[in-house]
Amino acid sequence: MSIKDKFTPDEWFKVMTGPGRAGAAVMAASPSGLTGLIAEARAFSDATRESVSAATRTPLLEAMAADMLGTAPDTQPPQERARNSGEAREQSLQAVRQAAWLVSAKASPEDNAAYRQMLMNVAERTANAATEGGFLGIGGKLVDEKEQAVLDELRRLLFPDDAPATTASDMVSPAPDGSGNSG
């Protein structure tokens, strides 16, 4: 049984899109204009690709790499469209929460730690890819307060109590809406 077989197609889709959603949460927190958007998109793409192709990758990351080289699925689960950047940020954070929970529930502790580290690396590289604020590239900050708030939230979500290896029993199962509120 491969690691991918432990997940339903919908769950695997959530795991596969987790890195992109981590980057999207940062991008939605503080939109950077066209050149910033391109730099940030390239940063999360590069960070994901580097993580899944590293010599030290785990079986989960190997399965992700194999799927990234394959063709996209014919059908993707329906997703609600965000009406503004705040909703996009929240939807992305919920998707990251769901993906992290799925991996913690169905994969090994090594896969779980590697996946969470990849998500955090993607978010950090995205935040550091473009300057926020300023005018025509002059002034501004590499990581502004809004992006830092998303990074802090992701860090709390992915590494509660600064413990990189979390198990499913340590996390609240996400509600069907991905909120983490099980009630």
Side-chain angles (χ1 to χ4, degrees), residues 65-136:
D67 270 18
M68 287 178 181
L69 294 173
T71 57
D74 292 337
T75 59
Q76 298 177 355
Q79 297 179 16
E80 183 181 332
R81 291 213 179 261
R83 292 177 294 227
N84 56 50
S85 62
E87 279 186 14
R89 176 184 164 276
E90 287 307 313
Q91 287 175 2
S92 292
L93 288 170
Q94 288 176 4
V96 169
R97 181 180 295 112
Q98 287 178 337
W101 185 85
L102 285 166
V103 170
S104 70
K106 296 189 174 205
S108 71
E110 294 79 20
D111 282 327
N112 182 31
Y115 186 75
R116 287 167 183 276
Q117 190 56 53
M118 176 180 60
L119 294 175
M120 197 68 226
N121 185 42
V122 166
E124 288 172 343
R125 295 241 332 244
T126 301
N128 285 293
T131 302
E132 309 301 323
F135 180 72
L136 296 175

Side-chain angles (χ1 to χ4, degrees), residues 12-176:
W12 186 247
F13 179 81
K14 289 176 182 179
V15 170
M16 288 293 295
T17 57
R21 297 306 291 261
V26 172
M27 292 169 66
S30 184
S32 304
L34 182 59
T35 56
L37 178 66
I38 292 168
E40 289 174 340
R42 179 173 291 141
F44 80 67
S45 174
D46 290 348
T48 302
R49 188 173 46 256
E50 289 168 14
S51 293
V52 300
S53 54
T56 57
R57 68 182 180 254
T58 66
L60 176 76
L61 298 185
E62 284 182 21
M64 291 178 71
D67 270 18
M68 287 178 181
L69 294 173
T71 57
D74 292 337
T75 59
Q76 298 177 355
Q79 297 179 16
E80 183 181 332
R81 291 213 179 261
R83 292 177 294 227
N84 56 50
S85 62
E87 279 186 14
R89 176 184 164 276
E90 287 307 313
Q91 287 175 2
S92 292
L93 288 170
Q94 288 176 4
V96 169
R97 181 180 295 112
Q98 287 178 337
W101 185 85
L102 285 166
V103 170
S104 70
K106 296 189 174 205
S108 71
E110 294 79 20
D111 282 327
N112 182 31
Y115 186 75
R116 287 167 183 276
Q117 190 56 53
M118 176 180 60
L119 294 175
M120 197 68 226
N121 185 42
V122 166
E124 288 172 343
R125 295 241 332 244
T126 301
N128 285 293
T131 302
E132 309 301 323
F135 180 72
L136 296 175
I138 301 168
K141 294 174 137 180
L142 195 54
V143 178
D144 70 9
E145 300 81 26
K146 293 176 184 176
E147 287 179 331
Q148 188 60 54
V150 169
L151 291 175
D152 292 345
E153 188 167 350
L154 283 168
R155 197 168 284 106
R156 283 189 302 274
L157 169 84
L158 297 171
F159 306 108
D161 302 323
D162 292 327
T166 325
T167 63
S169 61
D170 297 332
M171 299 178 66
V172 174
S173 171

